[in-house]
Amino acid sequence: MPSRTTRVLSALALAGLVVGIAGCSGAAPVDARPTLAKASSDTVTVLAQDDPAERAIRASRAVFATAPGAVVAPADDASAIGTAASAARRAHVPVLLAGSGDRRAVGHELDRLGASWYQAEGDVDVSTDVEERDAPDGGEAPEPSRASRPATVVVADDQADAAVVGTAQAAGAEVVAMPDGVTDPAAAPDVVRALHEHRDASTVLVGTAFADLPDPGWTVRAAETGWQLPHGGQRPFDGHRYVAMYGAPGAPSLGVLGEQDPAASVTRAKELAASYDGVSDEPVTPAFEVIATVAAGAAGADGDYSSELPVSTLEPYVDAAHDAGMPVILDLQPGRSDFLSQAKRYESLLKRPGVWLALDPEWRLGPDQVPLQQIGSVSSAEVDQVSDWLAGLVRSEGLPPKALVLHQFRLSMLQDRSSLTTHPELDMLIHVDGQGSQPDKQATWNALHVDAPAGVHWGWKNFFDEDTPMLTPEQTMADVAPTPSLVTYQ
């Protein structure tokens, strides 16, 4: 399949065009636009233990500093636990479970609470000097104990954790349930909303589903920012599909994005995405893919055959997209430079939520290569350098997850891609972006899926002028399998 850009410009014309739109390739100016403030709470407790008795005690510790008493039930008696939870809510005290393990565990927690009594529901066997008696009925009023700790409790399975939910509600904590089958809070809009609204509180994640959550602290900090994608949640490719316009500001020959100003580009992108209404099985969001560094036919002052657009040139597009609720993908064509050096030029933009990154190996050249004379390539080690840096930026800034897009239309462009490192902070997508006849494009699409990295998402490109013919939205959704998460237009 032919290269995407050989069809539009010679190397000489490309070099002249970039001078006109970029002005210079010096260091990008500092971005004065404020970024989201870091979350105020850094207290996150994960209750993913299989032992319900241990989980109940840890829940009590997480949301109660002290309590006058507690309600105790057997860990294996669901009916008694339900009754205990109701009693605990009325008395504003925690629910503790007596398991088959250490008989002293409940007693130790009663001592920590400073409790003077406990109420038993069902047949409980505990070792404690605390008096057993009925709990005073504090009524169903929502006021929690003065000794409770402000918390948001996220429950992966509220039926299995009735004791924990009862303890949380007794303490006046905000309790929110994860959707069925969802294990990542970033993919749960209601959870993100609750964590943002109660960002001054600590967070308790309850359920074995959270056992494999790689970095709970970052996940919660990102949710506390409150930023969400237009159709909800923060995870780029979890239940979302994007239709994007591709190109460089002021450069119509490089793609449709450059054919109009930022405001008109937003309108056109929305119209393009709307053409997928009724044919996509997932919500469709319009987006921009903006070429930030453009491969050049001349070496330039720095000799890297790549012209880096200033941040100030890109900002109007990023700002317009942000105001319209649209994500932006910054595309890098590094020439003889490297991807990491170029990505760092745009750190100020990448610190914004909804600004993602794309690497275009077609334009990653060796020391003796020039654009348009051969197809470039990148090693997995260099991609890993970028993904490590980008994931670190997301984590350190408490940002929502970002997409990392890797362009590819030949196997040789991404070397050793099976060894690519994955990061929980990034959703990786391989964007198959060659142009030509549909049989050739489908053959490339199928070939690139062979031995692809596990868990990677997929993107497809439609060319207005070079595809023969260009697929309609209906055909793109029906004929390209698996259905792409990102469809770009050039």
Side-chain angles (χ1 to χ4, degrees):
M1 188 179 299
S3 159
R4 299 188 315 285
T5 309
T6 53
R7 70 203 178 286
V8 286
L9 295 170
S10 68
L12 181 60
L14 182 56
L17 175 64
V18 173
V19 171
I21 60 175
C24 66
S25 58
V30 176
D31 180 17
R33 182 184 176 95
T35 57
L36 289 175
K38 294 182 181 179
S40 58
S41 171
D42 59 359
T43 304
V44 180
T45 302
V46 180
L47 305 184
Q49 297 78 13
D50 290 326
D51 182 357
E54 180 184 358
R55 193 163 60 236
I57 288 175
R58 291 197 62 196
S60 173
R61 293 173 182 169
V63 299
F64 276 99
T66 64
V71 184
V72 184
D76 58 357
D77 188 338
S79 177
I81 293 172
T83 302
S86 297
R89 285 192 293 268
R90 291 193 298 270
H92 308 303
V93 298
V95 180
L96 304 178
L97 301 182
S100 58
D102 188 354
R103 295 175 58 250
R104 298 170 297 177
V106 169
H108 290 326
E109 179 59 10
L110 290 171
D111 291 341
R112 184 197 70 82
L113 290 166
S116 60
W117 57 265
Y118 76 92
Q119 174 178 315
E121 288 293 341
D123 186 12
V124 298
D125 182 15
V126 298
S127 176
T128 181
D129 293 330
V130 175
E131 177 187 3
E132 179 185 351
R133 62 178 175 82
D134 289 343
D137 192 341
E140 295 289 355
E143 291 81 6
S145 164
R146 292 181 180 179
S148 64
R149 298 185 174 107
T152 302
V153 179
V154 181
V155 184
D157 184 350
D158 57 356
Q159 296 303 315
D161 290 285
V164 174
V165 173
T167 293
Q169 292 173 335
E174 177 74 13
V175 179
V176 58
M178 291 284 288
D180 291 341
V182 178
T183 60
D184 185 352
D190 289 344
V191 173
V192 173
R193 188 177 304 108
L195 291 174
H196 171 63
E197 291 174 351
H198 302 276
R199 55 192 174 278
D200 293 328
S202 62
T203 301
V204 183
L205 305 176
V206 184
T208 55
F210 296 124
D212 297 327
L213 200 62
D215 191 343
W218 160 71
T219 300
V220 170
R221 284 183 63 210
E224 286 175 339
T225 66
W227 182 88
Q228 297 205 49
L229 291 159
H231 297 287
Q234 298 182 326
R235 182 60 65 183
F237 298 120
D238 195 319
H240 300 276
R241 177 166 290 121
Y242 305 90
V243 172
M245 294 203 308
Y246 175 93
S253 297
L254 293 180
V256 294
L257 186 71
E259 294 179 355
Q260 57 278 306
D261 64 21
S265 292
V266 167
T267 299
R268 188 173 178 184
K270 288 181 176 180
E271 292 172 350
L272 198 58
S275 67
Y276 282 76
D277 290 347
V279 298
S280 171
D281 59 355
E282 291 183 331
V284 176
T285 298
F288 288 166
E289 183 169 359
V290 184
I291 308 174
T293 66
V294 187
D302 54 9
D304 66 1
Y305 287 86
S306 178
S307 292
E308 298 85 1
L309 276 67
V311 167
S312 58
T313 300
L314 304 178
E315 277 183 317
Y317 288 84
V318 175
D319 292 344
H322 174 271
D323 293 344
M326 294 167 42
V328 175
I329 305 167
L330 301 181
D331 184 72
L332 304 180
Q333 300 179 359
R336 293 183 183 177
S337 182
D338 64 276
F339 281 117
L340 181 58
S341 297
Q342 289 203 333
K344 288 181 175 180
R345 286 177 171 266
Y346 302 101
E347 180 174 341
S348 62
L349 294 177
L350 291 167
K351 283 183 177 179
R352 301 188 191 183
V355 178
W356 303 335
L357 186 64
L359 311 182
D360 201 341
E362 177 185 0
W363 307 108
R364 175 60 174 99
L365 305 176
D368 299 321
Q369 296 178 324
V370 296
L372 301 175
Q373 294 187 12
Q374 62 284 302
I375 302 299
S377 64
V378 67
S379 67
S380 61
E382 183 172 333
V383 175
D384 285 348
Q385 288 178 338
V386 177
S387 66
D388 289 348
W389 173 80
L390 187 60
L393 182 69
V394 170
R395 191 168 51 251
S396 65
E397 296 293 323
L399 295 168
K402 290 187 180 293
L404 178 61
V405 176
L406 306 176
H407 288 284
Q408 186 177 25
F409 57 86
R410 287 186 181 179
L411 288 171
S412 61
M413 290 170 59
L414 286 173
Q415 300 170 4
D416 304 317
R417 68 177 187 174
S418 61
S419 65
L420 289 170
T421 301
T422 59
H423 299 274
E425 299 84 1
L426 307 177
D427 279 4
M428 188 174 293
L429 179 140
I430 294 177
H431 193 260
V432 183
D433 54 1
Q435 51 87 16
S437 70
Q438 289 306 321
D440 285 346
K441 288 173 67 100
Q442 289 285 351
T444 298
W445 175 264
N446 294 332
L448 292 179
H449 277 70
V450 177
D451 297 328
V456 72
H457 303 272
W458 293 91
W460 173 272
K461 178 169 282 190
N462 285 324
F463 290 84
F464 286 106
D465 299 324
E466 289 75 29
D467 281 353
T468 52
M470 186 182 81
L471 297 182
T472 65
E474 293 79 5
Q475 291 169 329
T476 303
M477 294 293 94
D479 298 348
V480 183
T483 310
S485 297
L486 170 65
V487 181
T488 59
Y489 281 80
Q490 180 172 344

